[in-house]
Amino acid sequence: MYNTILVFHVILAIAVVGLVLLQQGKGADAGAAFGSGASATVFGARGSGNFLTRVTAVLATLFFVTSLSLAVLAKQLAGGESVVDTVAPETPDAEVTVPVEAPAPAEAPAPEAAPGTDAGVAPTEGVPTAD
């Protein structure tokens, strides 16, 4: 049933878009009043506009009805529960085991500079100067 309504809904959507694109804009009425081609239609000069407008209105109404129907059916198929209401059950008897790893080996501390030396200064021996 859901799939049938969904297929009908898609067909209605395509039909509504097609009918809207077939209709003439309001600016074309002035040209039709002077007999520019629209009077040669099957429905007459004004009849085609009214017919397309009515068919578009009916199809748009059916589109809204199928939209609401799909929303109601989707909620029923989901069980009527909210995602917020569904919580994983707690298991109080379950024991949690955490793997224990051996501590990382301690690194040897960096050697300290001897007193009276320039610790942290790069040596300048053998480096050419800009003189």
Side-chain angles (χ1 to χ4, degrees):
M1 172 122 177
Y2 182 81
N3 289 335
T4 305
I5 294 175
L6 183 63
V7 169
F8 186 63
H9 185 71
V10 170
I11 292 171
L12 281 175
I14 293 170
V16 168
V17 169
L19 283 175
V20 167
L21 291 175
L22 283 175
Q23 293 181 18
Q24 294 178 349
K26 294 293 181 187
D29 290 341
F34 297 108
S36 64
S39 60
T41 62
V42 176
F43 303 105
R46 296 289 299 162
S48 67
N50 289 337
F51 175 74
L52 289 178
T53 303
R54 289 181 185 163
V55 171
T56 304
V58 169
L59 290 181
T61 303
L62 288 173
F63 180 80
F64 287 129
V65 169
T66 57
S67 295
L68 292 174
S69 302
L70 287 171
V72 169
L73 284 175
K75 181 173 172 106
Q76 288 177 355
L77 290 175
E81 294 181 0
S82 173
V83 175
V84 177
D85 295 338
T86 57
V87 177
E90 294 183 19
T91 55
D93 297 335
E95 293 182 19
V96 178
T97 58
V98 178
V100 178
E101 296 181 12
E107 295 182 18
E112 294 185 23
T117 60
D118 294 330
V121 178
T124 57
E125 295 176 17
V127 176
T129 59
D131 297 308

